Amino acid sequence: MRKYLLIGVSAFVLGAGSMAYVSQQALASAQAPKAKTYKMLELFGDVVDTVERQYVTEVDDQKLIEAAIDGMLTSLDPHSGYLNPDSFDDMRDQTRGEYGGLGIEVTSEEGVVKVISPMDDTPAARAGIKAGDFITAVNGESVLGLSVNEAVKQMRGKPGEAVTLTIAREKTDPFDVKVVREVIKPKSATAKMEGDYGYLRVSAFNEKTTEEARAALADLRAKNPKMKGLVLDLRNNPGGLLDQAVGISDMFLEGGEIVSQRGRDPRDIERYNARPGDDASGLPMVVLVNSGSASAAEIVAGALQDRKRAEVVGLTTFGKGSVQTVIPLRGGMDGALKLTTARYYTPSGRSIQKTGIEPDLEVAETRDQAQRIANRAFQFSEASFRNALNAEEGKARRGAHVPAEAPPEGFDEQKGDFQLARAKDVLKYGSVAATPKLPKPEPKMAAVIPPKTALPAATLEKPAPEKK
């Protein structure tokens, strides 16, 4: 049976049509491309045979074919691919919200493993690994040139065992970090008070997210009945299951559309709507996002922004606007295909593929980050992928620019959270429009911090539960 995800995520089944009549001419024209396809398959067989006989060392036929299948799929777009049986099992474990590892989201392109984000309260987060770091070696063995699945396999192991990662980080020399593996049971939703305002942190979208978020918010409101507003923090949330993104959005919407997804056929449209009931009872809301907010996180931010339920503060999101279907092969015994089958759209009908969700108030987290955004060195987005699906015609992700706000010189970036502080200001004054604006930062000349050719990043693909 098929499994579904949206990058990090969704479920979408393409309908199959039938044709009542095909003319001889149409049949002939249809057979011509097939003949070419069969010829290319014959060529593929010849290549495999030649490699088996003449490569300098013996080759593993299974690995050779798996790599060929994966290469075919990844040539389509960055998020399609082949999952061998082990990888398919790992994906299902991650979706359940419990698995063994370091607690780190990674991607790979052109042989470089890049950190999307460390998960909250995991070994990777406690070790100080940061979004944007590059992992160049595991236990002294280089991972350059490996696929992301191969690199992840080297990082995983028995809980309690240590693994040493070699990290390359901008403006620093490569260094080693020792991390002890654990059984990862990330709590995807937590809540606390920030002064007069509630703070709900959603770090991922697994099978438990909506349940955990509802419980955390209900407990917080019960203990703080005079709460004046709510901050929903989706920063560095790499995505997850579509039904959980719909569930989190539904917590705060009284009805109407949350998201729609559309396939190759214009008639293939599936819409998801909210049900009556607002867990926050209409309290004013702000959603915090950044470039690490992807996929399912973007669905929530886009839905609440479009429906005027919340204003968005932070930085433009990742821009992951496509849907992947996980299709098991022989019930998963031969692994699964992860295939892009649709795009998703916010309630207003906008696709955010490549462009992302732009905040109502743009706020850089640090002064250094503002500098990098102005110098085009900050390219942590879907648009960085060379073969990413195109954005809507006429739309493009915003290029280098000076962000609207950044921490002033007197702000302690080590102890304070400037984006959160500005989110609370928006709640205090009632809207972004009414919030007093700070002076625009003045980045240095681009020559001071040279632009760096950025490597793309993607959200971690996770399996969705079977569609009922």
Side-chain angles (χ1 to χ4, degrees), residues 268-319:
D268 288 329
I269 301 177
E270 190 164 354
R271 302 182 187 277
Y272 299 84
N273 297 309
R275 298 163 296 182
D278 181 348
D279 286 43
S281 302
L283 285 172
M285 283 184 65
V286 167
V287 179
L288 274 176
V289 297
N290 62 9
S291 65
S293 305
S295 186
E298 295 175 285
I299 285 178
V300 176
L304 298 183
Q305 185 184 55
D306 278 7
R307 302 294 304 282
K308 310 298 182 185
R309 179 61 183 89
E311 294 194 273
V312 178
V313 173
L315 297 174
T316 300
T317 59
F318 187 78

Side-chain angles (χ1 to χ4, degrees), residues 217-361:
L217 182 58
D219 181 64
L220 189 68
R221 292 192 65 200
K223 294 178 180 177
N224 301 276
K226 295 183 179 180
M227 184 189 303
K228 294 182 179 180
L230 179 68
V231 175
L232 174 60
D233 189 354
L234 300 177
R235 290 175 296 179
N236 294 321
N237 183 319
L241 303 179
L242 174 62
D243 64 339
Q244 298 300 308
V246 170
I248 294 295
S249 302
D250 191 17
M251 285 178 59
F252 308 109
L253 295 172
E254 290 284 0
E257 185 173 302
I258 293 172
V259 65
S260 65
Q261 53 188 43
R262 310 173 193 179
R264 179 165 61 181
D265 188 330
R267 295 170 295 181
D268 288 329
I269 301 177
E270 190 164 354
R271 302 182 187 277
Y272 299 84
N273 297 309
R275 298 163 296 182
D278 181 348
D279 286 43
S281 302
L283 285 172
M285 283 184 65
V286 167
V287 179
L288 274 176
V289 297
N290 62 9
S291 65
S293 305
S295 186
E298 295 175 285
I299 285 178
V300 176
L304 298 183
Q305 185 184 55
D306 278 7
R307 302 294 304 282
K308 310 298 182 185
R309 179 61 183 89
E311 294 194 273
V312 178
V313 173
L315 297 174
T316 300
T317 59
F318 187 78
K320 172 64 187 60
S322 63
V323 180
Q324 280 65 49
T325 302
V326 177
I327 308 170
L329 303 173
R330 288 208 310 143
M333 290 188 292
D334 287 336
L337 301 184
K338 178 163 53 67
L339 195 66
T340 298
T341 54
R343 298 172 186 262
Y344 68 78
Y345 293 78
T346 68
S348 65
R350 57 177 169 153
S351 167
I352 59 173
Q353 175 63 17
K354 284 190 175 181
T355 57
I357 298 290
E358 293 191 2
D360 299 295
L361 177 61

Side-chain angles (χ1 to χ4, degrees), residues 22 202 239:
V22 180
V202 176

